[in-house]
Amino acid sequence: SQTIHQWPATLVQPVGSPLSLECTVEGTSNPNLYWYRQAAGRGLQLLFYSVGIGQISSEVPQNLSASRPQDRQFILSSKKLLLSDSGFYLCAWSRTYPAGSYNSPLHFGNGTRLTVT
Amino acid sequence: GQNIDQPTEMTATEGAIVQINCTYQTSGFNGLFWYQQHAGEAPTFLSYNVLDGLEEKGRFSSFLSRSKGYSYLLLKELQMKDSASYLCAVVGYQKVTFGTGTKLQVIP
């Protein structure tokens, strides 16, 4: 079976500090990978998605970046955190199917609650 | 781009039926997901619609009308544990866009 691991579960960081959140998927190959952010009381905002190693699409201009150094590893980074970066960060994966065919649901990790102080 | 609308909050009584609506406008449509999210937790998958009509899965059903850009999630025999946010998500090309969610409160 497939599992997704995301860590850490909670993080408190000062403004201006760097950030690195890691996500790994087990039990599948060549998954689509996603980073979402959910601010308090808000919906899920898509930050980045990746359809393969080294292929990253950014949805929102910001001080965050993402990388996919291995097939099942997805990393979210920042060089300098802002107060507005606080939120609940969720990594997700889905299977890859040919375009126009079935779409796999997204399966989420448990999330990282980031508080920037 | 994509625009997804859901009611912000709803309240329903235990044992009753509730319908949560979702309307969307999208430049490319490849299906629609419904997710449940309890407070402080990650969303969990409920249903997937790509063709018009009703998909039933136990107490939960989901309906889609592509021509109207409309979907609903129907929850029957409500239980207290169904109190959660319900997220409508539209599948575009290679990415999934979520609505802001409907917070459902089930009362005794």
Side-chain angles (χ1 to χ4, degrees):
Chain A
S1 61
Q2 300 81 27
T3 55
I4 178 168
H5 303 279
Q6 187 181 342
W7 67 93
T10 59
L11 192 60
V12 180
Q13 292 283 99
V15 168
S17 64
L19 173 74
S20 181
L21 302 180
E22 190 163 342
C23 171
T24 59
V25 180
E26 297 179 356
T28 188
S29 58
N30 195 32
N32 294 331
L33 296 172
Y34 306 80
W35 278 111
Y36 284 86
R37 176 172 64 196
Q38 188 174 38
R42 304 287 294 277
L44 290 171
Q45 178 187 32
L46 178 62
L47 301 176
F48 302 95
Y49 67 95
S50 171
V51 299
I53 296 175
Q55 300 179 60
I56 309 293
S57 296
S58 174
E59 288 298 300
V60 182
Q62 59 216 329
N63 66 320
L64 299 173
S65 62
S67 61
R68 184 170 178 172
Q70 300 180 44
D71 181 44
R72 291 169 289 177
Q73 184 184 28
F74 206 23
I75 298 172
L76 182 69
S77 303
S78 174
K79 293 182 179 178
K80 288 186 177 182
L81 283 169
L82 307 173
L83 284 174
S84 58
D85 291 325
S86 293
F88 190 40
Y89 287 81
L90 290 155
C91 180
W93 76 273
S94 67
R95 294 187 192 279
T96 302
Y97 288 90
S101 67
Y102 176 74
N103 287 286
S104 164
L106 269 63
H107 302 280
F108 288 89
N110 289 331
T112 296
R113 193 162 302 282
L114 172 67
T115 303
V116 182
T117 60
Chain B
Q2 291 167 323
N3 187 39
I4 303 170
D5 289 313
Q6 302 179 237
T8 304
E9 295 181 344
M10 298 182 71
T11 301
T13 305
E14 189 177 15
I17 299 172
V18 70
Q19 178 174 312
I20 302 174
N21 295 325
C22 170
T23 58
Y24 63 89
Q25 295 172 314
T26 180
S27 55
F29 180 80
N30 287 310
L32 186 144
F33 295 126
W34 282 96
Y35 281 80
Q36 180 190 60
Q37 185 179 24
H38 285 100
E41 299 181 6
T44 54
F45 170 70
L46 290 177
S47 67
Y48 170 62
N49 294 73
V50 64
L51 300 176
D52 290 351
L54 188 68
E55 294 284 340
E56 298 186 79
K57 190 183 293 185
R59 293 190 298 116
F60 293 6
S61 303
S62 56
F63 172 83
L64 175 67
S65 169
R66 290 171 295 171
S67 62
K68 296 181 180 178
Y70 168 69
S71 174
Y72 68 73
L73 180 69
L74 194 70
L75 291 75
K76 303 175 185 177
E77 301 170 12
L78 279 173
Q79 302 175 8
M80 297 302 291
K81 68 178 182 179
D82 296 331
S83 293
S85 290
Y86 291 86
L87 313 178
C88 170
V90 173
V91 184
Y93 177 64
Q94 293 183 334
K95 64 179 183 179
V96 179
T97 303
F98 284 80
T100 54
T102 299
K103 187 175 181 180
L104 173 66
Q105 183 181 15
V106 180
I107 58 177

Short mmCIF file of all heavy atoms in Angstrom, two decimals, chain B residues 44-92:
data_model
loop_
_atom_site.label_atom_id
_atom_site.label_comp_id
_atom_site.label_asym_id
_atom_site.label_seq_id
_atom_site.Cartn_x
_atom_site.Cartn_y
_atom_site.Cartn_z
N THR B 44 -9.46 14.15 3.71
CA THR B 44 -9.55 12.76 3.28
C THR B 44 -10.55 12.67 2.12
O THR B 44 -11.57 13.36 2.12
CB THR B 44 -9.98 11.83 4.41
OG1 THR B 44 -11.20 12.31 4.97
CG2 THR B 44 -8.94 11.76 5.49
N PHE B 45 -10.24 11.83 1.16
CA PHE B 45 -11.02 11.70 -0.06
C PHE B 45 -12.38 11.07 0.21
O PHE B 45 -12.48 10.06 0.92
CB PHE B 45 -10.23 10.85 -1.05
CG PHE B 45 -10.99 10.43 -2.27
CD1 PHE B 45 -11.33 11.36 -3.24
CD2 PHE B 45 -11.35 9.11 -2.46
CE1 PHE B 45 -12.02 10.97 -4.37
CE2 PHE B 45 -12.05 8.71 -3.58
CZ PHE B 45 -12.38 9.64 -4.54
N LEU B 46 -13.44 11.66 -0.38
CA LEU B 46 -14.78 11.11 -0.26
C LEU B 46 -15.29 10.55 -1.58
O LEU B 46 -15.79 9.42 -1.65
CB LEU B 46 -15.77 12.17 0.23
CG LEU B 46 -15.64 12.65 1.67
CD1 LEU B 46 -16.66 13.75 1.94
CD2 LEU B 46 -15.82 11.49 2.64
N SER B 47 -15.22 11.37 -2.67
CA SER B 47 -15.84 10.92 -3.91
C SER B 47 -15.23 11.62 -5.10
O SER B 47 -14.57 12.66 -4.97
CB SER B 47 -17.35 11.21 -3.88
OG SER B 47 -17.57 12.61 -3.90
N TYR B 48 -15.48 11.03 -6.28
CA TYR B 48 -14.97 11.56 -7.54
C TYR B 48 -16.07 11.46 -8.59
O TYR B 48 -16.69 10.41 -8.74
CB TYR B 48 -13.75 10.75 -7.96
CG TYR B 48 -13.25 11.03 -9.37
CD1 TYR B 48 -12.79 12.28 -9.73
CD2 TYR B 48 -13.22 10.01 -10.32
CE1 TYR B 48 -12.32 12.54 -11.00
CE2 TYR B 48 -12.74 10.26 -11.60
CZ TYR B 48 -12.29 11.52 -11.94
OH TYR B 48 -11.81 11.76 -13.19
N ASN B 49 -16.32 12.57 -9.29
CA ASN B 49 -17.28 12.59 -10.40
C ASN B 49 -16.58 13.15 -11.63
O ASN B 49 -15.94 14.20 -11.55
CB ASN B 49 -18.48 13.50 -10.08
CG ASN B 49 -19.32 12.98 -8.93
OD1 ASN B 49 -18.92 13.06 -7.78
ND2 ASN B 49 -20.49 12.47 -9.25
N VAL B 50 -16.75 12.46 -12.75
CA VAL B 50 -16.23 12.99 -14.00
C VAL B 50 -17.33 13.04 -15.05
O VAL B 50 -17.31 13.89 -15.95
CB VAL B 50 -15.02 12.18 -14.51
CG1 VAL B 50 -15.42 10.75 -14.85
CG2 VAL B 50 -14.35 12.85 -15.67
N LEU B 51 -18.32 12.17 -14.93
CA LEU B 51 -19.48 12.18 -15.81
C LEU B 51 -20.70 12.70 -15.06
O LEU B 51 -20.76 12.65 -13.83
CB LEU B 51 -19.76 10.76 -16.33
CG LEU B 51 -18.63 10.10 -17.13
CD1 LEU B 51 -19.01 8.68 -17.49
CD2 LEU B 51 -18.30 10.92 -18.37
N ASP B 52 -21.67 13.19 -15.81
CA ASP B 52 -22.90 13.68 -15.19
C ASP B 52 -23.62 12.55 -14.46
O ASP B 52 -23.67 11.42 -14.93
CB ASP B 52 -23.83 14.26 -16.25
CG ASP B 52 -23.30 15.55 -16.85
OD1 ASP B 52 -22.31 16.09 -16.33
OD2 ASP B 52 -23.88 16.03 -17.85
N GLY B 53 -24.23 12.92 -13.34
CA GLY B 53 -25.03 11.94 -12.62
C GLY B 53 -24.61 11.80 -11.18
O GLY B 53 -23.82 12.58 -10.66
N LEU B 54 -25.19 10.81 -10.56
CA LEU B 54 -25.03 10.58 -9.13
C LEU B 54 -24.12 9.39 -8.86
O LEU B 54 -24.28 8.34 -9.45
CB LEU B 54 -26.41 10.33 -8.51
CG LEU B 54 -26.51 10.27 -6.99
CD1 LEU B 54 -26.24 11.65 -6.39
CD2 LEU B 54 -27.89 9.77 -6.58
N GLU B 55 -23.17 9.59 -7.95
CA GLU B 55 -22.30 8.52 -7.48
C GLU B 55 -22.62 8.28 -6.01
O GLU B 55 -22.55 9.20 -5.21
CB GLU B 55 -20.82 8.90 -7.62
CG GLU B 55 -20.35 9.07 -9.06
CD GLU B 55 -20.14 7.73 -9.75
OE1 GLU B 55 -20.00 6.71 -9.06
OE2 GLU B 55 -20.14 7.73 -11.00
N GLU B 56 -22.98 7.04 -5.67
CA GLU B 56 -23.35 6.75 -4.30
C GLU B 56 -22.32 5.87 -3.64
O GLU B 56 -21.83 4.90 -4.22
CB GLU B 56 -24.72 6.06 -4.25
CG GLU B 56 -25.84 6.94 -4.79
CD GLU B 56 -27.21 6.33 -4.63
OE1 GLU B 56 -27.76 6.39 -3.52
OE2 GLU B 56 -27.70 5.75 -5.62
N LYS B 57 -21.99 6.23 -2.39
CA LYS B 57 -21.01 5.48 -1.62
C LYS B 57 -21.44 5.50 -0.16
O LYS B 57 -21.10 6.40 0.59
CB LYS B 57 -19.63 6.10 -1.79
CG LYS B 57 -18.49 5.26 -1.24
CD LYS B 57 -17.15 5.98 -1.39
CE LYS B 57 -16.72 6.13 -2.82
NZ LYS B 57 -15.36 6.71 -2.93
N GLY B 58 -22.23 4.50 0.21
CA GLY B 58 -22.71 4.43 1.58
C GLY B 58 -23.63 5.58 1.92
O GLY B 58 -24.57 5.89 1.18
N ARG B 59 -23.35 6.29 2.99
CA ARG B 59 -24.20 7.42 3.41
C ARG B 59 -23.93 8.67 2.58
O ARG B 59 -24.67 9.64 2.67
CB ARG B 59 -23.94 7.75 4.89
CG ARG B 59 -24.39 6.67 5.87
CD ARG B 59 -24.33 7.19 7.31
NE ARG B 59 -22.98 7.56 7.71
CZ ARG B 59 -22.62 8.80 8.04
NH1 ARG B 59 -23.51 9.79 7.97
NH2 ARG B 59 -21.38 9.06 8.41
N PHE B 60 -22.84 8.64 1.81
CA PHE B 60 -22.47 9.82 1.03
C PHE B 60 -22.77 9.60 -0.45
O PHE B 60 -22.49 8.53 -1.00
CB PHE B 60 -20.99 10.13 1.20
CG PHE B 60 -20.58 10.57 2.59
CD1 PHE B 60 -21.47 10.56 3.63
CD2 PHE B 60 -19.29 11.00 2.84
CE1 PHE B 60 -21.10 10.96 4.91
CE2 PHE B 60 -18.91 11.41 4.11
CZ PHE B 60 -19.81 11.39 5.14
N SER B 61 -23.29 10.62 -1.11
CA SER B 61 -23.51 10.60 -2.55
C SER B 61 -23.02 11.92 -3.12
O SER B 61 -23.09 12.95 -2.44
CB SER B 61 -25.00 10.44 -2.88
OG SER B 61 -25.52 9.27 -2.30
N SER B 62 -22.58 11.89 -4.36
CA SER B 62 -22.15 13.12 -5.01
C SER B 62 -22.74 13.17 -6.41
O SER B 62 -22.78 12.17 -7.12
CB SER B 62 -20.63 13.24 -5.04
OG SER B 62 -20.05 12.11 -5.67
N PHE B 63 -23.15 14.37 -6.80
CA PHE B 63 -23.81 14.59 -8.08
C PHE B 63 -23.03 15.62 -8.88
O PHE B 63 -22.46 16.56 -8.32
CB PHE B 63 -25.24 15.10 -7.85
CG PHE B 63 -25.94 15.55 -9.10
CD1 PHE B 63 -26.57 14.62 -9.92
CD2 PHE B 63 -25.96 16.88 -9.49
CE1 PHE B 63 -27.21 15.01 -11.08
CE2 PHE B 63 -26.60 17.29 -10.63
CZ PHE B 63 -27.22 16.35 -11.44
N LEU B 64 -23.03 15.44 -10.19
CA LEU B 64 -22.34 16.39 -11.07
C LEU B 64 -23.21 16.71 -12.28
O LEU B 64 -23.79 15.81 -12.90
CB LEU B 64 -21.02 15.80 -11.55
CG LEU B 64 -20.23 16.62 -12.57
CD1 LEU B 64 -19.72 17.92 -11.95
CD2 LEU B 64 -19.07 15.82 -13.15
N SER B 65 -23.25 18.01 -12.63
CA SER B 65 -23.80 18.46 -13.90
C SER B 65 -22.74 19.34 -14.56
O SER B 65 -22.51 20.48 -14.13
CB SER B 65 -25.09 19.27 -13.69
OG SER B 65 -25.47 19.90 -14.90
N ARG B 66 -22.10 18.81 -15.56
CA ARG B 66 -21.02 19.55 -16.22
C ARG B 66 -21.54 20.76 -16.98
O ARG B 66 -20.90 21.82 -17.00
CB ARG B 66 -20.24 18.64 -17.16
CG ARG B 66 -19.39 17.60 -16.43
CD ARG B 66 -18.81 16.60 -17.40
NE ARG B 66 -19.86 15.81 -18.04
CZ ARG B 66 -19.65 14.98 -19.06
NH1 ARG B 66 -18.42 14.83 -19.53
NH2 ARG B 66 -20.64 14.29 -19.57
N SER B 67 -22.71 20.65 -17.58
CA SER B 67 -23.25 21.76 -18.36
C SER B 67 -23.59 22.94 -17.46
O SER B 67 -23.52 24.09 -17.89
CB SER B 67 -24.48 21.32 -19.14
OG SER B 67 -25.51 20.90 -18.25
N LYS B 68 -23.95 22.67 -16.22
CA LYS B 68 -24.30 23.74 -15.28
C LYS B 68 -23.13 24.14 -14.38
O LYS B 68 -23.27 25.08 -13.60
CB LYS B 68 -25.49 23.32 -14.41
CG LYS B 68 -26.77 23.09 -15.19
CD LYS B 68 -27.93 22.69 -14.27
CE LYS B 68 -29.20 22.48 -15.07
NZ LYS B 68 -30.35 22.05 -14.21
N GLY B 69 -22.03 23.44 -14.46
CA GLY B 69 -20.91 23.74 -13.56
C GLY B 69 -21.31 23.59 -12.11
O GLY B 69 -21.02 24.46 -11.28
N TYR B 70 -21.95 22.47 -11.80
CA TYR B 70 -22.60 22.32 -10.49
C TYR B 70 -22.41 20.91 -9.97
O TYR B 70 -22.50 19.93 -10.71
CB TYR B 70 -24.09 22.64 -10.65
CG TYR B 70 -24.95 22.27 -9.48
CD1 TYR B 70 -24.86 22.94 -8.28
CD2 TYR B 70 -25.89 21.24 -9.58
CE1 TYR B 70 -25.67 22.61 -7.19
CE2 TYR B 70 -26.70 20.90 -8.52
CZ TYR B 70 -26.60 21.59 -7.33
OH TYR B 70 -27.40 21.25 -6.27
N SER B 71 -22.15 20.84 -8.68
CA SER B 71 -22.05 19.56 -8.00
C SER B 71 -22.65 19.70 -6.60
O SER B 71 -22.73 20.80 -6.06
CB SER B 71 -20.59 19.13 -7.89
OG SER B 71 -20.45 17.95 -7.12
N TYR B 72 -23.08 18.60 -6.05
CA TYR B 72 -23.45 18.60 -4.64
C TYR B 72 -23.02 17.31 -3.97
O TYR B 72 -22.89 16.27 -4.61
CB TYR B 72 -24.95 18.86 -4.43
CG TYR B 72 -25.90 17.77 -4.90
CD1 TYR B 72 -26.03 16.56 -4.22
CD2 TYR B 72 -26.71 17.99 -6.01
CE1 TYR B 72 -26.91 15.59 -4.65
CE2 TYR B 72 -27.61 17.02 -6.44
CZ TYR B 72 -27.70 15.82 -5.77
OH TYR B 72 -28.58 14.86 -6.19
N LEU B 73 -22.81 17.42 -2.68
CA LEU B 73 -22.51 16.28 -1.83
C LEU B 73 -23.71 16.08 -0.91
O LEU B 73 -24.15 17.03 -0.25
CB LEU B 73 -21.25 16.53 -1.00
CG LEU B 73 -20.82 15.42 -0.05
CD1 LEU B 73 -20.32 14.21 -0.85
CD2 LEU B 73 -19.72 15.93 0.88
N LEU B 74 -24.24 14.89 -0.88
CA LEU B 74 -25.41 14.57 -0.07
C LEU B 74 -24.99 13.64 1.06
O LEU B 74 -24.41 12.57 0.81
CB LEU B 74 -26.48 13.90 -0.93
CG LEU B 74 -27.88 13.78 -0.35
CD1 LEU B 74 -28.51 15.17 -0.27
CD2 LEU B 74 -28.74 12.87 -1.21
N LEU B 75 -25.26 14.04 2.28
CA LEU B 75 -24.93 13.22 3.42
C LEU B 75 -26.24 12.78 4.09
O LEU B 75 -27.05 13.61 4.50
CB LEU B 75 -24.09 13.99 4.45
CG LEU B 75 -22.66 14.36 4.08
CD1 LEU B 75 -22.60 15.52 3.08
CD2 LEU B 75 -21.88 14.72 5.33
N LYS B 76 -26.42 11.48 4.21
CA LYS B 76 -27.63 10.94 4.80
C LYS B 76 -27.35 10.44 6.22
O LYS B 76 -26.21 10.14 6.58
CB LYS B 76 -28.15 9.78 3.96
CG LYS B 76 -28.43 10.12 2.51
CD LYS B 76 -28.82 8.89 1.73
CE LYS B 76 -28.98 9.19 0.24
NZ LYS B 76 -29.29 7.96 -0.54
N GLU B 77 -28.42 10.32 6.98
CA GLU B 77 -28.33 9.76 8.35
C GLU B 77 -27.15 10.40 9.10
O GLU B 77 -26.25 9.71 9.58
CB GLU B 77 -28.16 8.24 8.29
CG GLU B 77 -29.30 7.54 7.57
CD GLU B 77 -28.99 6.06 7.31
OE1 GLU B 77 -28.00 5.54 7.87
OE2 GLU B 77 -29.72 5.45 6.52
N LEU B 78 -27.19 11.70 9.19
CA LEU B 78 -26.07 12.44 9.76
C LEU B 78 -25.70 11.95 11.16
O LEU B 78 -26.57 11.66 12.00
CB LEU B 78 -26.40 13.93 9.83
CG LEU B 78 -26.22 14.71 8.52
CD1 LEU B 78 -26.75 16.12 8.70
CD2 LEU B 78 -24.76 14.73 8.11
N GLN B 79 -24.41 11.89 11.37
CA GLN B 79 -23.87 11.53 12.68
C GLN B 79 -23.03 12.68 13.21
O GLN B 79 -22.56 13.52 12.43
CB GLN B 79 -23.02 10.26 12.56
CG GLN B 79 -23.77 9.07 11.99
CD GLN B 79 -22.90 7.86 11.76
OE1 GLN B 79 -21.73 7.82 12.15
NE2 GLN B 79 -23.45 6.83 11.11
N MET B 80 -22.85 12.72 14.51
CA MET B 80 -22.08 13.82 15.11
C MET B 80 -20.68 13.88 14.51
O MET B 80 -20.12 14.97 14.33
CB MET B 80 -22.02 13.65 16.62
CG MET B 80 -23.38 13.71 17.32
SD MET B 80 -24.26 15.25 17.01
CE MET B 80 -23.22 16.39 17.93
N LYS B 81 -20.11 12.72 14.20
CA LYS B 81 -18.75 12.69 13.66
C LYS B 81 -18.65 13.28 12.25
O LYS B 81 -17.55 13.49 11.73
CB LYS B 81 -18.22 11.25 13.63
CG LYS B 81 -18.95 10.35 12.63
CD LYS B 81 -18.36 8.95 12.61
CE LYS B 81 -19.05 8.06 11.58
NZ LYS B 81 -18.46 6.69 11.55
N ASP B 82 -19.81 13.56 11.62
CA ASP B 82 -19.79 14.19 10.30
C ASP B 82 -19.53 15.69 10.39
O ASP B 82 -19.38 16.37 9.35
CB ASP B 82 -21.13 13.95 9.58
CG ASP B 82 -21.38 12.48 9.29
OD1 ASP B 82 -20.39 11.73 9.11
OD2 ASP B 82 -22.56 12.08 9.27
N SER B 83 -19.48 16.23 11.59
CA SER B 83 -19.13 17.64 11.75
C SER B 83 -17.69 17.84 11.27
O SER B 83 -16.74 17.28 11.85
CB SER B 83 -19.24 18.07 13.22
OG SER B 83 -20.59 18.05 13.64
N ALA B 84 -17.56 18.62 10.20
CA ALA B 84 -16.26 18.80 9.55
C ALA B 84 -16.43 19.81 8.44
O ALA B 84 -17.55 20.28 8.18
CB ALA B 84 -15.76 17.47 8.98
N SER B 85 -15.33 20.15 7.79
CA SER B 85 -15.42 20.95 6.57
C SER B 85 -15.42 20.02 5.37
O SER B 85 -14.74 18.99 5.37
CB SER B 85 -14.23 21.91 6.49
OG SER B 85 -14.34 22.92 7.45
N TYR B 86 -16.21 20.39 4.36
CA TYR B 86 -16.31 19.60 3.14
C TYR B 86 -15.81 20.45 1.98
O TYR B 86 -16.32 21.55 1.72
CB TYR B 86 -17.75 19.11 2.95
CG TYR B 86 -18.10 18.09 4.01
CD1 TYR B 86 -18.58 18.51 5.25
CD2 TYR B 86 -17.88 16.74 3.79
CE1 TYR B 86 -18.84 17.59 6.25
CE2 TYR B 86 -18.15 15.81 4.78
CZ TYR B 86 -18.61 16.24 6.01
OH TYR B 86 -18.87 15.32 7.00
N LEU B 87 -14.81 19.93 1.31
CA LEU B 87 -14.11 20.67 0.27
C LEU B 87 -14.46 20.13 -1.10
O LEU B 87 -14.35 18.93 -1.35
CB LEU B 87 -12.59 20.59 0.48
CG LEU B 87 -12.06 20.85 1.87
CD1 LEU B 87 -10.54 20.68 1.90
CD2 LEU B 87 -12.43 22.24 2.34
N CYS B 88 -14.84 21.01 -1.99
CA CYS B 88 -15.07 20.69 -3.39
C CYS B 88 -13.78 21.03 -4.14
O CYS B 88 -13.18 22.07 -3.87
CB CYS B 88 -16.24 21.55 -3.88
SG CYS B 88 -16.55 21.56 -5.64
N ALA B 89 -13.33 20.15 -5.02
CA ALA B 89 -12.08 20.37 -5.73
C ALA B 89 -12.23 20.02 -7.20
O ALA B 89 -12.70 18.93 -7.53
CB ALA B 89 -10.96 19.54 -5.10
N VAL B 90 -11.82 20.94 -8.06
CA VAL B 90 -11.96 20.74 -9.51
C VAL B 90 -10.62 20.32 -10.09
O VAL B 90 -9.58 20.92 -9.78
CB VAL B 90 -12.45 22.04 -10.18
CG1 VAL B 90 -12.43 21.90 -11.70
CG2 VAL B 90 -13.86 22.37 -9.69
N VAL B 91 -10.67 19.29 -10.92
CA VAL B 91 -9.46 18.77 -11.55
C VAL B 91 -9.27 19.44 -12.90
O VAL B 91 -10.12 19.35 -13.78
CB VAL B 91 -9.56 17.25 -11.75
CG1 VAL B 91 -8.25 16.71 -12.31
CG2 VAL B 91 -9.89 16.56 -10.44
N GLY B 92 -8.15 20.16 -13.02
CA GLY B 92 -7.79 20.72 -14.32
C GLY B 92 -6.74 19.85 -14.96
O GLY B 92 -6.66 18.66 -14.69
#
